[in-house]
Amino acid sequence: MIKYLKYKIKNLLNFNKRQLGELQIELSKQNYDKIKNIRDAEIKIFSQFGEDGIINFLLYKIGLNEQIKFVEIGTGDYEEANTRFLSETRICSGLLIDKINDIKFIKKRDFYWKNDLYIHQKKINSKNISAVIKDYGFETNCNLLSLDIDGNDYWVLKNINLDTTDIVIVEYNPLFGFNLSLTIPEDDNFDRNKYNKVFYGASLPAIIVLLNVKNFFFIGANKACNNAFFIN
């Protein structure tokens, strides 16, 4: 009950986020033809940093301006997530995946019943991710995949079929540097907290190499240097 009350208070405080975000996005569209670096499109609305603006810019550029189909792995309670603004402002079909209990509060929000959203509240790994995505019907024609699990990101990403996915967003570990392809060893019981939260995930070069094999082109990272964006 206490967690839910905190959740409700947070919602009240964020009441105007969507309206202000839509205004910011509309104003930014005036400069879309001039943007050469995706960082110039950054706008933070519901995302952790400026991913909301970049996502909208990329969808606009590839002509996806209406219904969006997405998978987000590692949503938390969905108050700060890469696909939240899409759920608030477009007609969406989405699969939200996280192991935390707070993800269930999403079902109490207006955007949940207005869209075709599904929640998978279980821990995922490289061995079960493909089956989970397939079970919910998101294995084909997915416009966007966002992955941020602070651990086995590389190994999970490796086992996802992305043939019909348009855009991929992956969190990488900037502390691994930008010269070597590095990843943590695959470990289904990995806990980032055991390593003072500095040992997790994979380096940017490792993600680029992996997604190049899957026919994705790296188009840039956000200003915070932790999320990389790829186009099929």
Side-chain angles (χ1 to χ4, degrees):
M1 178 60 71
I2 293 176
K3 281 190 174 182
Y4 180 61
L5 288 175
K6 289 182 178 178
Y7 181 78
K8 291 288 288 185
I9 292 171
K10 189 186 295 183
N11 290 339
L12 291 172
L13 294 174
N14 293 337
F15 180 75
N16 293 321
K17 269 191 174 183
R18 170 183 169 174
Q19 290 83 356
L20 292 173
E22 288 182 296
L23 177 60
Q24 288 178 287
I25 290 292
E26 285 303 313
L27 290 174
S28 71
K29 285 181 179 179
Q30 300 175 16
N31 299 313
Y32 276 2
D33 291 336
K34 302 175 184 177
I35 290 177
K36 302 298 183 182
N37 187 321
I38 61 170
R39 293 182 176 185
D40 295 332
E42 286 195 16
I43 296 174
K44 172 181 168 56
I45 306 168
F46 290 105
S47 56
Q48 185 177 13
F49 297 103
E51 293 85 359
D52 289 317
I54 296 176
I55 290 169
N56 196 81
F57 170 71
L58 295 179
L59 291 174
Y60 176 87
K61 280 297 186 179
I62 63 177
L64 291 172
N65 300 313
E66 296 181 0
Q67 186 167 347
I68 303 298
K69 185 175 182 180
F70 64 78
V71 174
E72 181 160 7
I73 306 171
T75 62
D77 63 5
Y78 208 52
E79 284 302 288
E80 189 176 78
N82 285 338
T83 60
R84 169 69 183 274
F85 186 67
L86 297 179
S87 295
E88 291 272 8
T89 58
R90 302 189 186 217
I91 298 173
C92 293
S93 177
L95 173 59
L96 310 174
I97 302 174
D98 204 291
K99 63 181 180 180
I100 69 170
N101 292 328
D102 290 2
I103 194 174
K104 64 186 178 185
F105 294 145
I106 297 172
K107 294 182 178 180
K108 299 181 180 294
R109 303 306 302 276
D110 287 348
F111 61 79
Y112 180 79
W113 60 263
K114 288 180 180 178
N115 292 296
D116 186 23
L117 299 182
Y118 301 87
I119 295 173
H120 183 79
Q121 186 197 341
K122 289 183 180 179
K123 187 175 182 178
I124 56 95
N125 53 49
S126 63
K127 303 173 185 64
N128 66 15
I129 186 59
S130 292
V132 169
I133 292 175
K134 186 175 182 179
D135 287 346
Y136 286 93
F138 284 80
E139 74 277 15
T140 58
N141 302 319
C142 183
N143 302 123
L144 185 147
L145 169 78
S146 177
L147 174 63
D148 176 3
I149 56 175
D150 295 335
N152 292 296
D153 302 67
Y154 178 91
W155 306 105
V156 169
L157 184 64
K158 184 177 181 180
N159 282 0
I160 299 176
N161 186 339
L162 299 171
D163 290 345
T164 60
T165 302
D166 299 301
I167 299 170
V168 171
I169 308 168
V170 185
E171 184 186 57
Y172 62 92
N173 187 344
L175 298 176
F176 283 168
F178 300 95
N179 297 316
L180 301 176
S181 293
L182 303 172
T183 180
I184 65 166
E186 186 172 11
D187 179 4
D188 291 344
N189 297 312
F190 179 82
D191 183 358
R192 179 182 176 183
N193 293 317
K194 293 181 179 179
Y195 303 95
N196 295 320
K197 296 186 176 181
V198 297
F199 181 70
Y200 66 93
S203 67
L204 179 57
I207 300 297
I208 291 175
V209 170
L210 174 61
L211 284 176
N212 279 347
V213 173
K214 293 176 178 283
N215 295 317
F216 277 78
F217 179 73
F218 172 61
I219 56 171
N222 61 349
K223 293 176 183 176
C225 295
N226 63 350
N227 273 321
F229 293 77
F230 300 82
I231 293 289
N232 191 329

